[in-house]
Amino acid sequence: MIVTLTVNGVERTVDVDETTPLLWVLRDELDLKATKFGCGLAACGACTVHLDGQAIRSCSVPVVAVADASVVTLEGLGTPDAPHPVQQAWTEHVVPQCGYCQPGFMMAAAALLAEVPQPTDEEIDRAITNVCRCATHVRIRTAIHRAAEIGAGESTGAEDDR
Ligand code: FES
Ligand code: FES
């Protein structure tokens, strides 16, 4: 089946089985490897991307369901010259350990900040249900607060981990 979707602002057309998960279209058809496979069951969040601005788990969404929609992956979140506040904050706080889960966390964090620009710890914990087996969750929460500061135009230095 021919499916057209917009990925990172560019219209793309793929010829795949309509049941193919969006994750595999991104990785295998469009060569966008930032988005990761973890569980395949919509449980871990490694495959999180934005669909029309909402964080979704791309392992569990058939590509046919996103036809004509706008998908953003980590590759499209910012650029090296103009990184997204989440990318800046992640760098400042050296958040990743092995790094495997981090693209999903960053996309989930960016979606949260678009809706709640200054989230509390409780709002972060409620919204970000991704899994990190390297246990970077504390640094992730700190980095989300820092990204909120950057997004608000504040340029204070990195804070201590909370
Ligand atoms: S791979 Fe999609 S939620 Fe785990
Ligand atoms: S940084 Fe290793 S799984 Fe999260």
Side-chain angles (χ1 to χ4, degrees), residues 107-138:
M107 296 309 289
L112 169 63
L113 290 167
E115 247 180 64
V116 186
Q118 300 287 335
T120 63
D121 284 349
E122 292 70 28
E123 287 169 325
I124 292 170
D125 292 347
R126 204 163 41 242
I128 310 291
T129 58
N130 299 34
V131 174
C132 172
R133 70 179 182 181
C134 299
T136 63
H137 299 88
V138 173

PDB file of all heavy atoms in Angstrom, residues 107-138:
ATOM      1  N   MET A 107      11.637  13.039  23.314  1.00  0.00           N
ATOM      2  CA  MET A 107      10.405  13.365  22.582  1.00  0.00           C
ATOM      3  C   MET A 107       9.217  13.487  23.545  1.00  0.00           C
ATOM      4  O   MET A 107       8.362  14.367  23.379  1.00  0.00           O
ATOM      5  CB  MET A 107      10.129  12.297  21.520  1.00  0.00           C
ATOM      6  CG  MET A 107      11.183  12.219  20.418  1.00  0.00           C
ATOM      7  SD  MET A 107      11.576  13.801  19.646  1.00  0.00           S
ATOM      8  CE  MET A 107      10.067  14.113  18.707  1.00  0.00           C
ATOM      9  N   ALA A 108       9.180  12.626  24.553  1.00  0.00           N
ATOM     10  CA  ALA A 108       8.103  12.721  25.545  1.00  0.00           C
ATOM     11  C   ALA A 108       8.221  14.031  26.322  1.00  0.00           C
ATOM     12  O   ALA A 108       7.220  14.709  26.596  1.00  0.00           O
ATOM     13  CB  ALA A 108       8.161  11.521  26.495  1.00  0.00           C
ATOM     14  N   ALA A 109       9.460  14.409  26.675  1.00  0.00           N
ATOM     15  CA  ALA A 109       9.671  15.650  27.417  1.00  0.00           C
ATOM     16  C   ALA A 109       9.278  16.868  26.582  1.00  0.00           C
ATOM     17  O   ALA A 109       8.646  17.800  27.079  1.00  0.00           O
ATOM     18  CB  ALA A 109      11.137  15.748  27.838  1.00  0.00           C
ATOM     19  N   ALA A 110       9.641  16.854  25.311  1.00  0.00           N
ATOM     20  CA  ALA A 110       9.306  17.995  24.447  1.00  0.00           C
ATOM     21  C   ALA A 110       7.795  18.144  24.308  1.00  0.00           C
ATOM     22  O   ALA A 110       7.265  19.266  24.311  1.00  0.00           O
ATOM     23  CB  ALA A 110       9.957  17.821  23.077  1.00  0.00           C
ATOM     24  N   ALA A 111       7.092  17.033  24.197  1.00  0.00           N
ATOM     25  CA  ALA A 111       5.630  17.089  24.086  1.00  0.00           C
ATOM     26  C   ALA A 111       5.025  17.620  25.381  1.00  0.00           C
ATOM     27  O   ALA A 111       4.077  18.420  25.364  1.00  0.00           O
ATOM     28  CB  ALA A 111       5.069  15.706  23.753  1.00  0.00           C
ATOM     29  N   LEU A 112       5.561  17.180  26.516  1.00  0.00           N
ATOM     30  CA  LEU A 112       5.056  17.684  27.802  1.00  0.00           C
ATOM     31  C   LEU A 112       5.262  19.191  27.903  1.00  0.00           C
ATOM     32  O   LEU A 112       4.335  19.930  28.270  1.00  0.00           O
ATOM     33  CB  LEU A 112       5.775  16.977  28.957  1.00  0.00           C
ATOM     34  CG  LEU A 112       5.536  17.578  30.351  1.00  0.00           C
ATOM     35  CD1 LEU A 112       4.067  17.476  30.748  1.00  0.00           C
ATOM     36  CD2 LEU A 112       6.426  16.913  31.389  1.00  0.00           C
ATOM     37  N   LEU A 113       6.467  19.670  27.569  1.00  0.00           N
ATOM     38  CA  LEU A 113       6.767  21.098  27.712  1.00  0.00           C
ATOM     39  C   LEU A 113       5.941  21.962  26.750  1.00  0.00           C
ATOM     40  O   LEU A 113       5.655  23.117  27.058  1.00  0.00           O
ATOM     41  CB  LEU A 113       8.262  21.333  27.493  1.00  0.00           C
ATOM     42  CG  LEU A 113       9.147  20.791  28.621  1.00  0.00           C
ATOM     43  CD1 LEU A 113      10.612  20.774  28.193  1.00  0.00           C
ATOM     44  CD2 LEU A 113       8.980  21.606  29.895  1.00  0.00           C
ATOM     45  N   ALA A 114       5.561  21.386  25.613  1.00  0.00           N
ATOM     46  CA  ALA A 114       4.711  22.133  24.687  1.00  0.00           C
ATOM     47  C   ALA A 114       3.331  22.364  25.290  1.00  0.00           C
ATOM     48  O   ALA A 114       2.660  23.360  25.010  1.00  0.00           O
ATOM     49  CB  ALA A 114       4.588  21.383  23.362  1.00  0.00           C
ATOM     50  N   GLU A 115       2.912  21.451  26.151  1.00  0.00           N
ATOM     51  CA  GLU A 115       1.594  21.565  26.785  1.00  0.00           C
ATOM     52  C   GLU A 115       1.662  22.240  28.145  1.00  0.00           C
ATOM     53  O   GLU A 115       0.781  22.999  28.526  1.00  0.00           O
ATOM     54  CB  GLU A 115       1.000  20.158  26.974  1.00  0.00           C
ATOM     55  CG  GLU A 115      -0.222  19.906  26.123  1.00  0.00           C
ATOM     56  CD  GLU A 115      -0.769  18.512  26.340  1.00  0.00           C
ATOM     57  OE1 GLU A 115      -1.207  18.244  27.463  1.00  0.00           O
ATOM     58  OE2 GLU A 115      -0.741  17.720  25.387  1.00  0.00           O
ATOM     59  N   VAL A 116       2.709  21.916  28.890  1.00  0.00           N
ATOM     60  CA  VAL A 116       2.879  22.432  30.262  1.00  0.00           C
ATOM     61  C   VAL A 116       4.287  23.031  30.326  1.00  0.00           C
ATOM     62  O   VAL A 116       5.258  22.312  30.606  1.00  0.00           O
ATOM     63  CB  VAL A 116       2.712  21.301  31.300  1.00  0.00           C
ATOM     64  CG1 VAL A 116       2.749  21.865  32.712  1.00  0.00           C
ATOM     65  CG2 VAL A 116       1.446  20.505  31.052  1.00  0.00           C
ATOM     66  N   PRO A 117       4.428  24.323  30.076  1.00  0.00           N
ATOM     67  CA  PRO A 117       5.776  24.901  29.932  1.00  0.00           C
ATOM     68  C   PRO A 117       6.622  24.858  31.204  1.00  0.00           C
ATOM     69  O   PRO A 117       7.847  24.846  31.108  1.00  0.00           O
ATOM     70  CB  PRO A 117       5.476  26.358  29.520  1.00  0.00           C
ATOM     71  CG  PRO A 117       4.110  26.319  28.926  1.00  0.00           C
ATOM     72  CD  PRO A 117       3.365  25.264  29.673  1.00  0.00           C
ATOM     73  N   GLN A 118       5.987  24.822  32.364  1.00  0.00           N
ATOM     74  CA  GLN A 118       6.750  24.779  33.620  1.00  0.00           C
ATOM     75  C   GLN A 118       6.211  23.641  34.487  1.00  0.00           C
ATOM     76  O   GLN A 118       5.569  23.876  35.521  1.00  0.00           O
ATOM     77  CB  GLN A 118       6.610  26.112  34.365  1.00  0.00           C
ATOM     78  CG  GLN A 118       7.120  27.318  33.605  1.00  0.00           C
ATOM     79  CD  GLN A 118       8.636  27.380  33.528  1.00  0.00           C
ATOM     80  OE1 GLN A 118       9.328  26.833  34.387  1.00  0.00           O
ATOM     81  NE2 GLN A 118       9.162  28.034  32.506  1.00  0.00           N
ATOM     82  N   PRO A 119       6.434  22.407  34.125  1.00  0.00           N
ATOM     83  CA  PRO A 119       5.815  21.294  34.858  1.00  0.00           C
ATOM     84  C   PRO A 119       6.437  21.098  36.240  1.00  0.00           C
ATOM     85  O   PRO A 119       7.624  21.341  36.451  1.00  0.00           O
ATOM     86  CB  PRO A 119       6.105  20.083  33.963  1.00  0.00           C
ATOM     87  CG  PRO A 119       7.344  20.459  33.218  1.00  0.00           C
ATOM     88  CD  PRO A 119       7.268  21.941  33.010  1.00  0.00           C
ATOM     89  N   THR A 120       5.614  20.648  37.166  1.00  0.00           N
ATOM     90  CA  THR A 120       6.101  20.272  38.496  1.00  0.00           C
ATOM     91  C   THR A 120       6.691  18.863  38.423  1.00  0.00           C
ATOM     92  O   THR A 120       6.496  18.137  37.434  1.00  0.00           O
ATOM     93  CB  THR A 120       4.941  20.257  39.501  1.00  0.00           C
ATOM     94  OG1 THR A 120       4.007  19.246  39.083  1.00  0.00           O
ATOM     95  CG2 THR A 120       4.243  21.605  39.580  1.00  0.00           C
ATOM     96  N   ASP A 121       7.371  18.462  39.498  1.00  0.00           N
ATOM     97  CA  ASP A 121       7.876  17.092  39.550  1.00  0.00           C
ATOM     98  C   ASP A 121       6.739  16.094  39.351  1.00  0.00           C
ATOM     99  O   ASP A 121       6.891  15.087  38.647  1.00  0.00           O
ATOM    100  CB  ASP A 121       8.549  16.820  40.900  1.00  0.00           C
ATOM    101  CG  ASP A 121       9.930  17.457  41.001  1.00  0.00           C
ATOM    102  OD1 ASP A 121      10.455  17.927  39.965  1.00  0.00           O
ATOM    103  OD2 ASP A 121      10.460  17.485  42.124  1.00  0.00           O
ATOM    104  N   GLU A 122       5.618  16.366  39.990  1.00  0.00           N
ATOM    105  CA  GLU A 122       4.482  15.441  39.894  1.00  0.00           C
ATOM    106  C   GLU A 122       3.962  15.370  38.461  1.00  0.00           C
ATOM    107  O   GLU A 122       3.625  14.285  37.971  1.00  0.00           O
ATOM    108  CB  GLU A 122       3.355  15.883  40.845  1.00  0.00           C
ATOM    109  CG  GLU A 122       3.677  15.750  42.322  1.00  0.00           C
ATOM    110  CD  GLU A 122       4.730  16.752  42.824  1.00  0.00           C
ATOM    111  OE1 GLU A 122       4.845  17.860  42.233  1.00  0.00           O
ATOM    112  OE2 GLU A 122       5.451  16.417  43.779  1.00  0.00           O
ATOM    113  N   GLU A 123       3.889  16.513  37.792  1.00  0.00           N
ATOM    114  CA  GLU A 123       3.404  16.503  36.401  1.00  0.00           C
ATOM    115  C   GLU A 123       4.392  15.762  35.504  1.00  0.00           C
ATOM    116  O   GLU A 123       3.984  15.059  34.570  1.00  0.00           O
ATOM    117  CB  GLU A 123       3.197  17.936  35.915  1.00  0.00           C
ATOM    118  CG  GLU A 123       1.967  18.575  36.537  1.00  0.00           C
ATOM    119  CD  GLU A 123       1.866  20.068  36.281  1.00  0.00           C
ATOM    120  OE1 GLU A 123       2.920  20.757  36.235  1.00  0.00           O
ATOM    121  OE2 GLU A 123       0.729  20.554  36.142  1.00  0.00           O
ATOM    122  N   ILE A 124       5.677  15.914  35.768  1.00  0.00           N
ATOM    123  CA  ILE A 124       6.676  15.175  34.984  1.00  0.00           C
ATOM    124  C   ILE A 124       6.514  13.678  35.216  1.00  0.00           C
ATOM    125  O   ILE A 124       6.466  12.884  34.262  1.00  0.00           O
ATOM    126  CB  ILE A 124       8.103  15.635  35.367  1.00  0.00           C
ATOM    127  CG1 ILE A 124       8.334  17.060  34.899  1.00  0.00           C
ATOM    128  CG2 ILE A 124       9.149  14.691  34.774  1.00  0.00           C
ATOM    129  CD1 ILE A 124       9.615  17.690  35.424  1.00  0.00           C
ATOM    130  N   ASP A 125       6.410  13.287  36.461  1.00  0.00           N
ATOM    131  CA  ASP A 125       6.310  11.851  36.768  1.00  0.00           C
ATOM    132  C   ASP A 125       5.047  11.238  36.172  1.00  0.00           C
ATOM    133  O   ASP A 125       5.045  10.076  35.746  1.00  0.00           O
ATOM    134  CB  ASP A 125       6.342  11.634  38.284  1.00  0.00           C
ATOM    135  CG  ASP A 125       7.706  11.975  38.874  1.00  0.00           C
ATOM    136  OD1 ASP A 125       8.670  12.126  38.104  1.00  0.00           O
ATOM    137  OD2 ASP A 125       7.794  12.087  40.106  1.00  0.00           O
ATOM    138  N   ARG A 126       3.972  12.035  36.155  1.00  0.00           N
ATOM    139  CA  ARG A 126       2.714  11.521  35.608  1.00  0.00           C
ATOM    140  C   ARG A 126       2.790  11.403  34.083  1.00  0.00           C
ATOM    141  O   ARG A 126       2.284  10.448  33.499  1.00  0.00           O
ATOM    142  CB  ARG A 126       1.567  12.452  36.025  1.00  0.00           C
ATOM    143  CG  ARG A 126       0.222  11.792  36.046  1.00  0.00           C
ATOM    144  CD  ARG A 126      -0.844  12.545  36.825  1.00  0.00           C
ATOM    145  NE  ARG A 126      -0.833  13.979  36.630  1.00  0.00           N
ATOM    146  CZ  ARG A 126      -0.614  14.856  37.610  1.00  0.00           C
ATOM    147  NH1 ARG A 126      -0.406  14.443  38.839  1.00  0.00           N
ATOM    148  NH2 ARG A 126      -0.620  16.156  37.372  1.00  0.00           N
ATOM    149  N   ALA A 127       3.440  12.360  33.440  1.00  0.00           N
ATOM    150  CA  ALA A 127       3.441  12.399  31.968  1.00  0.00           C
ATOM    151  C   ALA A 127       4.516  11.513  31.355  1.00  0.00           C
ATOM    152  O   ALA A 127       4.329  10.962  30.270  1.00  0.00           O
ATOM    153  CB  ALA A 127       3.636  13.841  31.492  1.00  0.00           C
ATOM    154  N   ILE A 128       5.660  11.415  32.022  1.00  0.00           N
ATOM    155  CA  ILE A 128       6.788  10.688  31.429  1.00  0.00           C
ATOM    156  C   ILE A 128       6.831   9.294  32.038  1.00  0.00           C
ATOM    157  O   ILE A 128       7.394   9.088  33.116  1.00  0.00           O
ATOM    158  CB  ILE A 128       8.122  11.425  31.677  1.00  0.00           C
ATOM    159  CG1 ILE A 128       8.018  12.902  31.295  1.00  0.00           C
ATOM    160  CG2 ILE A 128       9.263  10.725  30.931  1.00  0.00           C
ATOM    161  CD1 ILE A 128       7.884  13.205  29.832  1.00  0.00           C
ATOM    162  N   THR A 129       6.260   8.347  31.339  1.00  0.00           N
ATOM    163  CA  THR A 129       6.170   6.970  31.857  1.00  0.00           C
ATOM    164  C   THR A 129       7.139   6.036  31.136  1.00  0.00           C
ATOM    165  O   THR A 129       7.019   4.816  31.250  1.00  0.00           O
ATOM    166  CB  THR A 129       4.725   6.451  31.736  1.00  0.00           C
ATOM    167  OG1 THR A 129       4.331   6.507  30.359  1.00  0.00           O
ATOM    168  CG2 THR A 129       3.770   7.282  32.583  1.00  0.00           C
ATOM    169  N   ASN A 130       8.086   6.631  30.412  1.00  0.00           N
ATOM    170  CA  ASN A 130       9.094   5.821  29.717  1.00  0.00           C
ATOM    171  C   ASN A 130       9.955   5.065  30.725  1.00  0.00           C
ATOM    172  O   ASN A 130      10.012   5.423  31.899  1.00  0.00           O
ATOM    173  CB  ASN A 130       9.998   6.721  28.874  1.00  0.00           C
ATOM    174  CG  ASN A 130       9.244   7.486  27.804  1.00  0.00           C
ATOM    175  OD1 ASN A 130       8.103   7.879  27.997  1.00  0.00           O
ATOM    176  ND2 ASN A 130       9.888   7.711  26.683  1.00  0.00           N
ATOM    177  N   VAL A 131      10.661   4.065  30.215  1.00  0.00           N
ATOM    178  CA  VAL A 131      11.505   3.227  31.066  1.00  0.00           C
ATOM    179  C   VAL A 131      12.967   3.410  30.676  1.00  0.00           C
ATOM    180  O   VAL A 131      13.304   3.436  29.486  1.00  0.00           O
ATOM    181  CB  VAL A 131      11.117   1.737  30.907  1.00  0.00           C
ATOM    182  CG1 VAL A 131      12.082   0.849  31.682  1.00  0.00           C
ATOM    183  CG2 VAL A 131       9.679   1.514  31.370  1.00  0.00           C
ATOM    184  N   CYS A 132      13.837   3.557  31.688  1.00  0.00           N
ATOM    185  CA  CYS A 132      15.292   3.607  31.465  1.00  0.00           C
ATOM    186  C   CYS A 132      15.927   2.567  32.368  1.00  0.00           C
ATOM    187  O   CYS A 132      15.885   2.698  33.593  1.00  0.00           O
ATOM    188  CB  CYS A 132      15.853   4.987  31.788  1.00  0.00           C
ATOM    189  SG  CYS A 132      17.669   5.011  31.742  1.00  0.00           S
ATOM    190  N   ARG A 133      16.561   1.573  31.769  1.00  0.00           N
ATOM    191  CA  ARG A 133      17.137   0.539  32.624  1.00  0.00           C
ATOM    192  C   ARG A 133      18.486   0.964  33.196  1.00  0.00           C
ATOM    193  O   ARG A 133      19.038   0.270  34.038  1.00  0.00           O
ATOM    194  CB  ARG A 133      17.212  -0.802  31.904  1.00  0.00           C
ATOM    195  CG  ARG A 133      18.217  -0.881  30.787  1.00  0.00           C
ATOM    196  CD  ARG A 133      18.191  -2.274  30.188  1.00  0.00           C
ATOM    197  NE  ARG A 133      19.178  -2.397  29.128  1.00  0.00           N
ATOM    198  CZ  ARG A 133      19.350  -3.488  28.427  1.00  0.00           C
ATOM    199  NH1 ARG A 133      18.596  -4.554  28.660  1.00  0.00           N
ATOM    200  NH2 ARG A 133      20.248  -3.554  27.483  1.00  0.00           N
ATOM    201  N   CYS A 134      19.023   2.097  32.725  1.00  0.00           N
ATOM    202  CA  CYS A 134      20.230   2.652  33.341  1.00  0.00           C
ATOM    203  C   CYS A 134      19.878   3.594  34.484  1.00  0.00           C
ATOM    204  O   CYS A 134      20.780   4.198  35.077  1.00  0.00           O
ATOM    205  CB  CYS A 134      21.068   3.404  32.321  1.00  0.00           C
ATOM    206  SG  CYS A 134      21.664   2.395  30.960  1.00  0.00           S
ATOM    207  N   ALA A 135      18.607   3.760  34.767  1.00  0.00           N
ATOM    208  CA  ALA A 135      18.145   4.556  35.914  1.00  0.00           C
ATOM    209  C   ALA A 135      18.590   6.015  35.847  1.00  0.00           C
ATOM    210  O   ALA A 135      19.119   6.561  36.806  1.00  0.00           O
ATOM    211  CB  ALA A 135      18.598   3.913  37.221  1.00  0.00           C
ATOM    212  N   THR A 136      18.371   6.643  34.690  1.00  0.00           N
ATOM    213  CA  THR A 136      18.701   8.070  34.561  1.00  0.00           C
ATOM    214  C   THR A 136      17.513   8.973  34.917  1.00  0.00           C
ATOM    215  O   THR A 136      17.552  10.173  34.650  1.00  0.00           O
ATOM    216  CB  THR A 136      19.153   8.391  33.125  1.00  0.00           C
ATOM    217  OG1 THR A 136      18.068   8.137  32.213  1.00  0.00           O
ATOM    218  CG2 THR A 136      20.370   7.575  32.722  1.00  0.00           C
ATOM    219  N   HIS A 137      16.489   8.430  35.519  1.00  0.00           N
ATOM    220  CA  HIS A 137      15.249   9.176  35.717  1.00  0.00           C
ATOM    221  C   HIS A 137      15.440  10.478  36.504  1.00  0.00           C
ATOM    222  O   HIS A 137      14.770  11.474  36.223  1.00  0.00           O
ATOM    223  CB  HIS A 137      14.204   8.292  36.410  1.00  0.00           C
ATOM    224  CG  HIS A 137      13.832   7.078  35.619  1.00  0.00           C
ATOM    225  ND1 HIS A 137      14.525   5.887  35.714  1.00  0.00           N
ATOM    226  CD2 HIS A 137      12.854   6.863  34.704  1.00  0.00           C
ATOM    227  CE1 HIS A 137      13.984   4.989  34.898  1.00  0.00           C
ATOM    228  NE2 HIS A 137      12.971   5.560  34.273  1.00  0.00           N
ATOM    229  N   VAL A 138      16.333  10.473  37.489  1.00  0.00           N
ATOM    230  CA  VAL A 138      16.525  11.694  38.290  1.00  0.00           C
ATOM    231  C   VAL A 138      17.141  12.790  37.427  1.00  0.00           C
ATOM    232  O   VAL A 138      16.714  13.952  37.446  1.00  0.00           O
ATOM    233  CB  VAL A 138      17.387  11.402  39.536  1.00  0.00           C
ATOM    234  CG1 VAL A 138      17.724  12.699  40.272  1.00  0.00           C
ATOM    235  CG2 VAL A 138      16.654  10.436  40.465  1.00  0.00           C
TER     236      VAL A 138
END
